Amino acid sequence: MTPLYYAISAVLVAWHWVFTNVLHMNPDGGATWVLSIIGLTVTVRAALIPLFVKQINSSRNMQLIQPKVKELQKKYGHDRERLAQETMKLYKESGTNPFASCLPILIQMPIFLALFRLLDHHAANGSGIAFLTEPLAESFGNAELFGVVPLKATFLDNGGSLAVQVVAAILVIAMTATTFTTQRQLMSKNMPADALSGPYAQQQKLLLYVLPVVFAVGGIAFPIGVLFYWTTSNLWTMGQQFYVIRNNPAPGTEAAKAKAERDRIKAEKHDQKHGTTSGTALEATVVEEPTVDRRPQQRQQPKKQSREQRKKSGGPSGSPKPKPEGGNQ
C-alpha cells in the first residue's frame, strides 16, 4: 500500500495547498479538508476515464451479443467445455472482454482502501505518512465540518454527537441511492430487450440490489471523510454514465430511440430557422411530375383509293374539280 499512500497523499495535500494558499481558506477547517477530498476524488476519476470508456464498450458488446450467447447455450448446452470454447471465441470475434466492466471497480478498491487507512488510521491519530506530514495529519484529525462534525468520526463511533449521526446517515443514503440509480439507469435505458434476460441480465439485477445493501451496511463504519469520497465518486459515475447513455447509446435501446427522436426534432428546428429542408423532409415533399409524351405526332396517311374512286372524287385528294368559268364551250 505504500506506493498508493504516496500517490493519494500527494494529490490530497496538493488540493489542500490550493484551497489554503490560492483561495485563502482556513487550513484547519473541515470545509477545506472536505473540498480537498472531493478534489482527490475528481482527480482519481478523471484518470480512470480511459478505463471507463473500455468498460462502457465492453458492457455494450456484452449486451449486443447476448442473443448469440443464447443460441450457443441452446446448441452446446449439453457440452460445457464446447460451450465455453465457443463463447470465448464469440468474445474474441466481437472484441468483447467480459472482465473489462470490472476494471474501474477493481482499480478503485485499492485506492479506496488506501484512502480509508490514510484517513481512519494515520490522519485520525495524527501520525503522518508519505506526503501527509504529522502537522497535516493533526490538522485533518482535528478538522470539524460545521464546527461540530469531526471528519474522522463514523456513524457508529460518533462520540455521542447527533450531528455526526445525521451527517453520516445522509451521506450513507446518498451513497446507496446513487449506486442504485446508476445501475438502474444502465439496465432500464441502455440495455436491449434481448439482453434483459439471461445470465448477464441476472447478474446485473443481482448487483442492482446487492451493491446498495453492501454499501449501506459498510458505510456506517466509514469515517465522514471517506463517505464524502465515495459519495462524490458515485455522483461522478452517475453523471458520466448519463452523458454516455444520452449521447452514445447502445443500438436497439430506449436511449437510442430517445436520441433518434431528439436528433429529428433538432433537424426540424434547424430547417425552420434556416428555411431549408432536411434530406428526410425533402424526400417526403418531392412530388413526381406526370410523364408527358413530347414525341411529334405522326401525320395521318390518306386512305388508299382505286382509280374509279379518284375519278369520281375529282382528284387524288378527294376534292371535286372546279368547273370552268363561262359555261360549256
Side-chain angles (χ1 to χ4, degrees):
M1 300 291 287
T2 301
L4 286 177
Y5 286 148
Y6 275 93
I8 292 174
S9 62
V11 177
L12 182 66
V13 170
W15 279 106
H16 184 266
W17 182 90
V18 169
F19 290 118
T20 301
N21 294 278
V22 178
L23 300 181
H24 304 290
M25 297 180 65
N26 181 11
D28 299 323
T32 305
W33 282 107
V34 167
L35 290 175
S36 300
I37 293 173
I38 293 175
L40 169 66
T41 310
V42 172
T43 303
V44 171
R45 295 310 307 268
L48 293 178
I49 286 179
L51 290 179
F52 178 79
V53 173
K54 289 184 178 181
Q55 177 193 19
I56 289 294
N57 293 334
S58 178
S59 299
R60 176 179 300 177
N61 290 339
M62 286 289 291
Q63 296 165 13
L64 296 179
I65 66 174
Q66 282 307 300
K68 295 182 180 180
V69 172
K70 291 180 181 179
E71 292 178 2
L72 292 178
Q73 291 173 347
K74 292 180 181 179
K75 188 175 181 180
Y76 303 107
H78 59 284
D79 189 349
R80 290 185 174 273
E81 184 177 356
R82 181 67 184 279
L83 176 61
Q85 292 176 354
E86 294 296 329
T87 303
M88 294 305 297
K89 182 180 178 181
L90 177 61
Y91 288 157
K92 186 176 180 180
E93 292 176 351
S94 60
T96 303
N97 183 358
F99 302 105
S101 58
C102 302
L103 282 177
I105 296 179
L106 293 177
I107 292 178
Q108 282 189 84
M109 288 311 297
I111 298 175
F112 174 77
L113 292 175
L115 179 65
F116 180 84
R117 289 284 297 171
L118 190 72
L119 301 183
D120 183 58
H121 181 70
H122 297 282
N125 296 331
S127 59
I129 186 174
F131 294 103
L132 187 69
T133 61
E134 287 190 6
L136 289 174
E138 291 178 0
S139 174
F140 179 87
N142 297 324
E144 293 182 345
L145 187 63
F146 309 125
V148 293
V149 181
L151 297 184
K152 63 181 181 180
T154 68
F155 182 87
L156 298 177
D157 185 12
N158 53 68
S161 173
L162 179 61
V164 171
Q165 290 181 317
V166 171
V167 173
I170 291 174
L171 291 174
V172 169
I173 292 173
M175 181 176 64
T176 305
T178 50
T179 302
F180 179 83
T181 303
T182 301
Q183 193 67 18
R184 177 75 175 176
Q185 182 186 47
L186 177 65
M187 293 186 63
S188 62
K189 294 187 177 182
N190 206 41
M191 289 184 69
D194 295 338
L196 294 176
S197 60
Y200 182 75
Q202 296 301 323
Q203 177 187 0
Q204 296 295 319
K205 290 178 182 178
L206 182 63
L207 293 176
L208 175 64
Y209 297 101
V210 171
L211 284 181
V213 174
V214 172
F215 290 143
V217 174
I220 59 177
F222 294 161
I224 298 294
V226 175
L227 289 177
F228 270 107
Y229 170 85
W230 201 251
T231 303
T232 305
S233 181
N234 283 357
L235 289 172
W236 176 286
T237 301
M238 187 170 64
Q240 188 172 242
Q241 182 172 275
F242 175 80
Y243 176 82
V244 172
I245 291 176
R246 179 179 175 83
N247 295 279
N248 193 20
T253 61
E254 292 296 326
K257 295 178 182 178
K259 184 177 185 302
E261 181 65 17
R262 290 195 304 271
D263 291 343
R264 185 187 64 80
I265 296 175
K266 184 177 179 181
E268 290 180 354
K269 290 182 178 179
H270 179 272
D271 295 340
Q272 292 176 359
K273 182 178 179 180
H274 296 278
T276 58
T277 306
S278 61
T280 305
L282 185 61
E283 292 176 2
T285 55
V286 170
V287 180
E288 294 185 359
E289 295 183 359
T291 305
V292 179
D293 189 0
R294 300 183 182 278
R295 293 178 299 177
Q297 295 183 354
Q298 294 183 356
R299 186 176 179 181
Q300 191 173 3
Q301 298 293 331
K303 210 169 183 181
K304 193 173 181 181
Q305 298 178 342
S306 63
R307 184 177 296 178
E308 295 180 355
Q309 289 175 337
R310 287 198 298 271
K311 286 182 178 181
K312 290 180 180 180
S313 60
S317 62
S319 57
K321 291 182 179 180
K323 292 183 180 181
E325 295 182 0
N328 294 330
Q329 297 282 332

